[in-house]
Amino acid sequence: MTTPEASPLGVSAIGIPTGAPGDLAHADLVGRLAREIYGQGNAASTPLTPALPASPQLPQGLETIPQASGQPSFPGAAIGTPSAPSGALPSGLQPDAATLGARNFGGPAVGLPGLTGPSAANPIGGTPAPASAGFLDVTTIPSVHPLADALSAQRGLPEFFVPSLPDVAAFLPGGPDLHRTIAADHPRATAFAGAVAPSLVPADPSHHRKDVAQENFQRTGRLSGDPVRTVEHGSDEPFSSGDYYFLTGSSRNAKTHASPRVEPSRNEGPAPRVTSTQSSPAGAPFDVEHVRKDFPALHQSVNGHRLVWLDNAATTHKPQSVIDATSEFYGRHNSNIHRAAHTLAARSTDLFEGGREKVRRFLNAPSKDDIVFLRGTTEAINLVANSYGRANIGPGDEIIVSTIEHHANIVPWQLLSQATGATLRVIPVNDRGEIIFEQYAALLSGRTKIVSVTHVANALGTVNPVREIIALAHAYGVPVLVDAAQSTPHIPIDVQSLDADFVVFSGHKVFGPTGIGALYGKKHLLEAMPPWQGGGHMIEDVTFTKTVYKGAPEKFEAGTPDIAGAVGLGAALDYLESVGLPAIAAYEHDLLDYAQAGLADIKGLRLIGTAREKASVMSFTIEGQKNEAVAHHLDRHGVAVRSGHHCALPALRRFGVDQSIRASLAFYNTREDVDIFLKALHRLPRH
C-alpha cells in the first residue's frame, strides 16, 4: 500500500496535502497513521489547483494554438471534420470540433440530467462538484472541447503547454514512440491529464520495457520508499513513493524507513478503534487478537493445521455480531416488508430500512433514497448498464473501462455495446498495473457516455486514482461508475467527496452476508433511469394498459428483497465502524509490507501487480510450479489462497499469464498467518 509522491502542487496523487519532509519511522505505526488520517478527515478533500492559465487567452483559431517547443500544432481540420489520428493508436479520437455533434452545449449533456457542457453561461466547464466534495470544481478548468458558439471568438481558447516529448513517456508500453503518437494526436488531452493529475503522468521514456518495481521487489522485497527509485537509468520522480496510499506523500529526500513491527496489545475490552479528543486525535494500538475473537470461522483446523484464511478478496468471514443479527431476524422478526399493518411487518421494515441508512452513512451518501439494495456488485453494474445504459447509450457512443477490471465490470458493458451499437474503449495499464492516465484522457471525447472503473483491482491490488478519473470525466459531462467491491473493506469511501455518480459494492466483501449489496446513485440519475425489473412493491398503480412506478430506490427493488441480508449488512458496517477503517488501513499496510518482503525470498516467484498504490492483494506465479498445485500444497498446510484467473482474464493476460495464485489479506490476519504462509511456500516440492 503505497502512494505516488507529492507533486509540485503540494498534494498527493489522491488530493491529500503533503506532509513535512523527514524520516517517517515511528514506533507506533498504527496509532500515528490513524492520527494522520483523522487529522485529514475520513476522506481526502483538499482542493487541487491545476497549473492552468488564470484567465482566458487572446482569441485565436483552433489550428493555430501554439504548443510547447517541438510540439505539433493542432490538426487544421475545418469545423465539423474529424481529425484523423496518425499511426497505430490504441486510443480514442482527439476531442475536436467533430465531437461537438455528440454534445448539447446549451443545456444538460445528452442523456445525462444535471451535468452540463460549456455554454454561454458556463463557458469553460461542466456542472461543479457539490460543495462537500472540496476537491476540484471543474468550472475552473478550461474544457478540452472547442466552443461551438460566438464565445470562442470573444474569449478564445486557453493554451495548454505540453511538456517536451522526451519527458512524458515513462512506463508506456512501446516507450517513447507510442507516446509521441499519443502526444501528436492528442496534445490537449495529454496536457489536460497533466493538469488534473500531474503526478500520474510519467516523465522519463528511458524506463520503457523495464519494470522497476518488479526488479526492486526481487532485490529488496519492497514496493515503496526510496529503494524503488534506485535505478540506473534516471529519475522515477512522477511515481516516487510516499508511504501510504491513503495518507500524505513524503519528501523526495526522505530516508527509507525501517519496516516497523506492530505487535498487538492483548488487553481485554472493546474492539479497537480510533478516537479523538478535541482537535488532537489519538490512535489506539490495533488489537488484532481481540478482533480475531469476533470471527468464529477463524478458529478451526483444516487438514490438521489451524486455518489461515488468505482468500479475503473472494469473500470475507463474518463477525459474530453479523451472524447474530441475521439469526435474530429469522428467529424473531421474520416478515415481508412494507405491505402489512401487523407488528412483525413493522419490525422487519424498520430493520430493512435501518440497513439502508447504515449503508448511506458508510458511504456518506446525501440520502438513504440514493441507496438501492441488490444481490451485490455484479447485479448493481448490470442494473446501471441495462437501465441507465439502454436509455442513454446508442450507436456510435463509447463506454470506457480499464484493462484491470473484474469480468463483472466488462461483460455487462459488452452486452450493452452489442445491443446498442456502442463501442467499448479500454484504458491500458503500464508494467506495474497502473492505468496510463494520459491515454485515459485521450480516450475521452464527446462520444463518451459513461466511464466505469474499479477502485481496487481484484487480481492485482492496484488502487486506481478514481478521484482524478472522475474529475476528468466530469469536465466532459460524463458520469462515472466506481466498482468499490475491493476497496470498501480497506479504504474509507466518501461518495460526496469523490463526486462519484454511481458506486457499487458487495456485502460479503465487507464481512457481511452473501447475496446482498448496494448501489449508490446520484438522485437526479436514479430519478431519470427507468426500472430494470418489474414486480411487486416497485409500483404505485397497475392496469392492463399502464403501470405507474414508485420513485427510487423502490422502483429498482422488485419483489421480496433479501431482508435478512440487508440487516446483516448493516451489522457488518456497524462492526467496521466500531473498529475504524483508518486503523484497519494502517494495520493492513504494515501487514502487506511484511508479507511482500517475505515473498521476495521465494525462489522463482514473480509478483504480478507492483503498483505504488496497492491494497492487500498479492498475485504471483512461481517458476516451474503449476498454480493449482501450489494452492493445493498450501491447503494441506491449512492456508487458503485462490488460484485461477480471478474473473480478471484481461488483467492477467496483460502480464502474459492466464492464471495466478492470489493471497489476500484482511484486518483479522496476523504476522503469524503470514509466517505460516511463507514457510509453506518454502516447503514447495521442487522439480
Side-chain angles (χ1 to χ4, degrees):
M1 292 182 178
T2 52
T3 181
E5 187 158 310
S7 74
L9 297 175
V11 292
S12 68
I14 56 172
I16 308 177
T18 57
D23 191 346
L24 295 178
H26 195 288
D28 183 3
L29 176 71
V30 175
R32 181 179 66 79
L33 294 182
R35 284 193 292 272
E36 290 188 49
I37 295 167
Y38 267 76
Q40 302 297 338
N42 280 341
S45 59
T46 299
L48 170 65
T49 308
L52 294 174
S55 60
Q57 307 298 302
L58 295 174
Q60 51 195 330
L62 176 62
E63 69 281 359
T64 61
I65 294 178
Q67 302 300 301
S69 176
Q71 302 302 305
S73 298
F74 283 97
I79 295 296
T81 304
S83 58
S86 63
L89 188 64
S91 305
L93 293 177
Q94 156 74 19
D96 60 14
T99 66
L100 297 176
R103 309 296 298 158
N104 175 15
F105 285 105
V110 175
L112 181 57
L115 281 179
T116 61
S119 65
N122 183 12
I124 59 171
T127 302
S132 60
F135 167 67
L136 179 62
D137 183 346
V138 295
T139 61
T140 65
I141 301 178
S143 172
V144 294
H145 292 295
L147 301 179
D149 54 30
L151 284 170
S152 58
Q154 298 169 12
R155 298 175 179 266
L157 292 172
E159 296 182 29
F160 287 85
F161 292 97
V162 183
S164 62
L165 286 172
D167 293 335
V168 197
F171 307 104
L172 293 183
D177 292 340
L178 177 58
H179 168 69
R180 290 189 184 99
T181 303
I182 296 168
D185 289 335
H186 306 278
R188 293 173 69 86
T190 301
F192 203 47
V196 172
S199 62
L200 298 178
V201 179
D204 188 351
S206 65
H207 288 213
H208 72 281
R209 301 188 187 94
K210 184 179 183 66
D211 190 345
V212 179
Q214 186 69 240
E215 290 185 1
N216 283 277
F217 167 71
Q218 296 294 341
R219 188 168 72 250
T220 68
R222 291 183 61 82
L223 298 176
S224 61
D226 289 336
V228 178
R229 302 207 303 269
T230 57
V231 294
E232 298 176 359
H233 302 287
S235 171
D236 187 25
E237 292 301 329
F239 284 106
S240 295
S241 174
D243 274 16
Y244 313 104
Y245 69 85
F246 49 87
L247 287 181
T248 62
S250 65
S251 165
R252 293 177 187 269
N253 299 318
K255 298 177 181 178
T256 303
H257 63 82
S259 181
R261 296 294 184 262
V262 180
E263 299 299 337
S265 65
R266 305 191 185 279
N267 300 325
E268 295 295 333
R273 61 170 299 164
V274 178
T275 58
S276 61
T277 304
Q278 297 178 347
S279 60
S280 301
F286 192 87
D287 189 348
V288 66
E289 294 299 335
H290 185 79
V291 166
R292 286 178 62 83
K293 292 178 181 177
D294 296 332
F295 291 83
L298 299 179
H299 306 286
Q300 59 178 299
S301 295
V302 173
N303 296 323
H305 301 271
R306 82 170 183 85
L307 174 64
V308 175
W309 185 259
L310 299 181
D311 196 18
N312 294 288
T315 196
T316 54
H317 286 298
K318 321 307 173 194
Q320 189 63 50
S321 59
V322 170
I323 297 169
D324 290 345
T326 306
S327 178
E328 183 180 14
F329 172 80
Y330 283 123
R332 297 192 67 242
H333 312 299
N334 182 50
S335 169
N336 215 322
I337 57 174
H338 295 138
R339 301 177 199 139
H342 57 72
T343 300
L344 265 62
R347 281 191 209 159
S348 184
T349 299
D350 287 346
L351 288 167
F352 180 78
E353 292 301 329
R356 197 190 306 273
E357 169 59 24
K358 290 173 182 179
V359 174
R360 183 212 65 77
R361 187 178 66 214
F362 180 68
L363 299 176
N364 192 33
S367 166
K368 73 182 183 69
D369 291 339
D370 302 333
I371 305 300
V372 180
F373 279 129
L374 297 148
R375 288 185 300 151
T377 300
T378 298
E379 188 172 48
I381 296 173
N382 275 276
L383 166 60
V384 176
N386 282 276
S387 179
Y388 175 84
R390 289 179 182 266
N392 296 283
I393 297 174
D397 291 337
E398 295 179 353
I399 301 159
I400 294 178
V401 298
S402 82
T403 302
I404 54 177
E405 300 301 324
H406 189 283
H407 294 166
N409 201 26
I410 298 174
V411 178
W413 303 114
Q414 284 182 329
L415 292 172
L416 177 64
S417 297
Q418 292 165 4
T420 62
T423 300
L424 191 65
R425 298 291 189 187
V426 181
I427 311 168
V429 297
N430 61 25
D431 289 341
R432 291 193 182 106
E434 301 159 331
I435 69 163
I436 302 171
F437 197 77
E438 63 269 45
Q439 290 208 27
Y440 162 60
L443 287 172
L444 282 163
S445 76
R447 286 181 280 274
T448 307
K449 288 299 181 285
I450 193 166
V451 175
S452 188
V453 293
T454 186
H455 193 177
V456 171
N458 76 304
L460 308 181
T462 301
V463 181
N464 276 330
V466 291
R467 186 180 299 274
E468 290 83 354
I469 288 171
I470 292 167
L472 191 52
H474 283 182
Y476 281 80
V478 175
V480 179
L481 181 149
V482 176
D483 174 358
Q486 295 292 339
S487 59
T488 42
H490 309 290
I491 307 171
I493 304 291
D494 185 329
V495 297
Q496 294 188 73
S497 176
L498 290 175
D499 197 24
D501 302 285
F502 301 104
V503 172
V504 298
F505 75 100
S506 299
H508 71 105
K509 308 286 190 184
V510 290
F511 315 96
T514 57
I516 188 69
L519 160 71
Y520 158 77
K522 285 183 176 176
K523 181 179 180 180
H524 67 277
L525 294 175
L526 295 180
E527 287 178 346
M529 288 162 55
W532 177 32
Q533 297 173 328
H537 178 58
M538 46 84 70
I539 56 90
E540 289 285 2
D541 185 49
V542 174
T543 69
F544 284 108
T545 57
K546 182 180 179 180
T547 296
V548 179
Y549 304 108
K550 289 184 177 178
E554 286 86 357
K555 70 175 173 179
F556 302 113
E557 295 177 347
T560 299
D562 184 357
I563 307 168
V567 173
L569 175 57
L573 300 182
D574 282 343
Y575 184 85
L576 279 176
E577 187 177 78
S578 74
V579 178
L581 269 167
I584 288 170
Y587 174 77
E588 287 181 355
H589 167 82
D590 178 67
L591 197 61
L592 179 65
D593 265 3
Y594 180 76
Q596 291 188 151
L599 286 179
D601 295 331
I602 306 297
K603 184 178 179 181
L605 186 142
R606 176 195 176 197
L607 189 65
I608 300 172
T610 55
R612 299 298 179 81
E613 296 185 23
K614 186 175 178 181
S616 301
V617 172
M618 296 165 287
S619 192
F620 60 92
T621 59
I622 300 177
E623 186 179 359
Q625 300 282 350
K626 293 183 178 179
N627 296 321
E628 189 174 4
V630 173
H632 281 308
H633 169 80
L634 291 170
D635 182 59
R636 288 193 292 269
H637 290 79
V639 180
V641 298
R642 188 154 294 260
S643 67
H645 55 63
H646 319 305
C647 294
L649 276 168
L652 291 177
R653 285 173 177 159
R654 164 62 179 81
F655 296 91
V657 297
D658 284 330
Q659 297 186 353
S660 73
I661 304 145
R662 184 184 66 188
S664 47
L665 303 167
F667 65 96
Y668 46 54
N669 290 124
T670 65
R671 290 191 175 214
E672 183 181 357
D673 289 345
V674 172
D675 290 341
I676 294 170
F677 164 59
L678 295 172
K679 187 176 180 180
L681 286 178
H682 279 290
R683 291 179 174 177
L684 273 170
R686 299 288 174 174
H687 303 292

